[in-house]
């Protein structure tokens, strides 16, 4: 692959993964993600259209970005979600098309998403007990999420469950989740709580992922799998099926091998989740700018991808959601 067809940042990391936020709205209020009253929202008219998202993915695909994940907010709230999957599936460069969802609407959407060509699903499930689930998400939708997971498995989707481990809330379910991975031959990934989004810094909720791993290792025989550029350190569980993964951006940062960038629902490229730095490409897409201009903006964003590891040294201070982040002057000059 020639240099022209790749995206490499200032630290030599090649960008191959894109996360697209389809909406900033959500039907849950997870304690670690959104305040109960919600957050200021974008006007839906600012969202990138299906065609704009597809064009962006085609252009960045020609620069070597082949893995695309749809996320949010809650991506299944976006009314064109199936249409978006269908459209992105037709982009030749898209090698893998996946989604991260809270699963609450999957019971009815798993089949159309599968038909449209979605490859895999990560579903968030922070507790196996309905009352504890309500404490974390603030909504009593445990049954709907479980039905959503069943529907996804019935459709044959490879499913990973995302579990944010919260000190004093979910720590006593770690073994139950590992057993679930083994019994159902799925991957359960334990996420360390990150001080992001609308909740600010809550050290009381952080439970180091190393301790989660130790607890599981006391009961299960784990065999480490190659990590490559993945954020999760993943292990197969010996003697049965299933895998467990550990994601620890705070205590074990993986920035060194990060291959991702993100784009918000209204078209702001965020090269790093832990930095407010962004380049808006929304207006370029809305005004049908040339591919050359789009590529220049994408390369500019990637060139400014922060090294990232300062997160480990200085805990994140912003706490701002992407709908609140202001655009700096350099961003306006590129996006306008
Ligand atoms: N609404 C979808 C969902 O919950 O799966 C997709 C968006 S959500 C922001 C993506 C993932 O980030 C979820 O697995 C969620 O648990 C995780 N997440 C959100 N806030 C987090 C935080 N402060 N610390 C750790 N993980 C977090
Ligand atoms: Fe919504 Fe996902 Fe955030 Fe929970 S983690 S509030 S489901 S966006």
């Amino acid at each position: 692959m020639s240099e022209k067809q790749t995206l490499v940042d200032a630290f030599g990391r090649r960008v191959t993964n894109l996360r697209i936020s389809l909406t900033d709205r959500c039907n849950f209020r997870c304690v670690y993600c959104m305040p109960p009253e919600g957050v200021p929202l974008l006007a839906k008219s600012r969202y990138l259209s299906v065609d704009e998202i597809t064009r962006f993915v085609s252009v960045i695909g020609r620069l070597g970005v082949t893995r695309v994940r749809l996320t949010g907010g809650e991506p299944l709230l976006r009314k064109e979600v199936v249409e978006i999957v269908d459209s992105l599936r037709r982009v030749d460069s898209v090698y893998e098309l996946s989604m991260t969802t809270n699963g609450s609407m999957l019971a009815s959407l798993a089949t159309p998403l599968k038909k449209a060509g979605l490859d895999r699903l990560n579903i968030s499930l922070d507790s196996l007990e309905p009352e504890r689930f309500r404490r974390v998400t603030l909504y009593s939708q445990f049954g709907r999420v479980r039905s959503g997971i069943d529907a996804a498995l019935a459709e044959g989707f490879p499913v990973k469950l995302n579990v944010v481990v919260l000190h004093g809330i979910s720590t006593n379910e770690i073994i139950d989740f590992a057993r679930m991975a083994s019994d159902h031959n799925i991957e359960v990934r334990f996420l360390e709580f990150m001080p992001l989004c609308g909740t600010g810094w809550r050290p009381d909720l952080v439970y180091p992922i190393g301790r989660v791993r130790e607890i599981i290792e006391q009961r299960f025989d784990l065999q480490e799998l190659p990590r490559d550029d993945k954020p999760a350190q993943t292990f197969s569980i010996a003697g049965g099926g299933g895998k467990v993964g550990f994601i620890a951006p705070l205590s074990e940062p993986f920035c060194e091998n990060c291959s991702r960038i993100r784009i918000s629902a209204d078209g702001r490229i965020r090269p790093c989740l832990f930095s407010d730095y962004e380049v808006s490409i929304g207006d370029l897409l809305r005004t049908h700018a040339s591919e050359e201009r789009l590529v220049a903006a994408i390369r500019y964003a990637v060139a400014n991808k922060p090294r990232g590891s300062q997160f480990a040294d200085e805990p994140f201070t912003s706490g701002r959601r992407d709908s609140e982040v202001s655009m700096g002057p350099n961003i306006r000059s590129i996006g306008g």
Side-chain angles (χ1 to χ4, degrees):
M1 192 173 269
S2 81
E3 214 174 275
K4 274 191 165 174
Q5 293 165 307
T6 56
L7 277 175
V8 181
D9 75 7
F11 304 95
R13 294 169 299 188
R14 205 176 137 205
V15 172
T16 53
N17 286 256
L18 170 68
R19 298 194 154 222
I20 305 175
S21 174
L22 295 187
T23 173
D24 54 350
R25 283 150 170 85
C26 191
N27 55 339
F28 285 6
R29 292 287 179 271
C30 301
V31 290
Y32 49 75
C33 180
M34 279 203 196
E37 68 279 12
V39 291
L41 295 172
L42 294 168
K44 286 186 184 169
S45 58
R46 297 293 298 166
Y47 287 173
L48 296 181
S49 67
V50 180
D51 287 348
E52 287 157 1
I53 294 172
T54 308
R55 178 154 187 242
F56 179 72
V57 169
S58 305
V59 171
I60 206 164
R62 287 191 276 281
L63 300 172
V65 174
T66 55
R67 291 174 197 267
V68 177
R69 176 170 294 278
L70 306 176
T71 180
E74 174 44 45
L76 296 181
L77 285 178
R78 177 78 187 248
K79 70 177 187 331
E80 304 97 340
V81 64
V82 175
E83 201 188 326
I84 291 169
V85 169
D86 183 65
S87 180
L88 296 185
R89 187 68 284 172
R90 294 164 201 271
V91 177
D92 286 346
S93 54
V94 176
Y95 168 73
E96 185 177 274
L97 184 58
S98 56
M99 181 183 289
T100 301
T101 168
N102 65 28
S104 61
M105 283 169 286
L106 267 182
S108 59
L109 284 170
T111 303
L113 288 170
K114 183 77 182 175
K115 279 199 185 124
L118 189 72
D119 293 319
R120 42 181 65 244
L121 281 163
N122 286 5
I123 306 174
S124 302
L125 180 71
D126 296 326
S127 175
L128 295 167
E129 294 180 14
E131 180 47 31
R132 198 172 285 138
F133 180 88
R134 193 198 58 75
R135 266 178 74 199
V136 176
T137 62
L138 301 199
Y139 284 87
S140 302
Q141 300 222 14
F142 178 79
R144 287 188 65 177
V145 175
R146 285 305 299 255
S147 310
I149 295 171
D150 290 344
L153 291 172
E155 277 301 331
F157 276 112
V159 169
K160 290 181 188 170
L161 293 187
N162 281 357
V163 181
V164 179
V165 183
L166 297 170
H167 188 82
I169 301 181
S170 45
T171 32
N172 58 359
E173 292 194 61
I174 291 167
I175 290 296
D176 296 336
F177 272 113
R179 195 172 297 119
M180 185 177 182
S182 174
D183 292 349
H184 296 276
N185 197 11
I186 57 173
E187 182 172 332
V188 173
R189 306 188 324 161
F190 297 94
L191 279 66
E192 196 168 71
F193 164 67
M194 297 179 286
L196 288 174
C197 306
T199 54
W201 179 237
R202 289 279 308 269
D204 54 309
L205 290 181
V206 176
Y207 193 79
I209 225 69
R211 259 190 253 160
V212 177
R213 196 164 45 224
E214 277 165 27
I215 290 171
I216 296 176
E217 276 169 344
Q218 283 166 11
R219 290 278 192 93
F220 296 90
D221 189 7
L222 301 183
Q223 278 152 8
E224 188 163 2
L225 298 166
R227 187 167 185 169
D228 306 320
D229 63 349
K230 296 187 194 79
Q233 185 190 21
T234 310
F235 297 80
S236 60
I237 304 173
K243 292 176 193 163
V244 283
F246 304 98
I247 303 185
L250 257 190
S251 60
E252 300 167 18
F254 43 82
C255 307
E256 218 174 275
N257 295 317
C258 180
S259 57
R260 297 180 177 176
I261 59 168
R262 298 162 191 269
I263 187 162
S264 66
D266 62 340
R268 283 166 293 136
I269 300 175
R270 282 284 280 267
C272 173
L273 181 62
F274 303 125
S275 159
D276 280 353
Y277 179 79
E278 60 184 23
V279 173
S280 179
I281 203 172
D283 287 343
L284 289 180
L285 287 165
R286 281 179 211 108
T287 54
H288 309 281
S290 67
E291 176 146 344
E292 208 182 354
R293 288 193 72 198
L294 291 173
V295 168
I298 294 167
R299 286 202 187 282
Y300 189 83
V302 169
N304 286 289
K305 184 172 164 69
R307 189 165 67 92
S309 57
Q310 78 275 6
F311 184 54
D313 310 329
E314 328 163 1
F316 192 72
T317 50
S318 161
R320 287 190 289 174
R321 293 183 51 77
D322 71 351
S323 55
E324 294 175 314
V325 175
S326 61
M327 298 200 297
N330 53 347
I331 293 157
R332 274 199 211 98
S333 63
I334 285 180

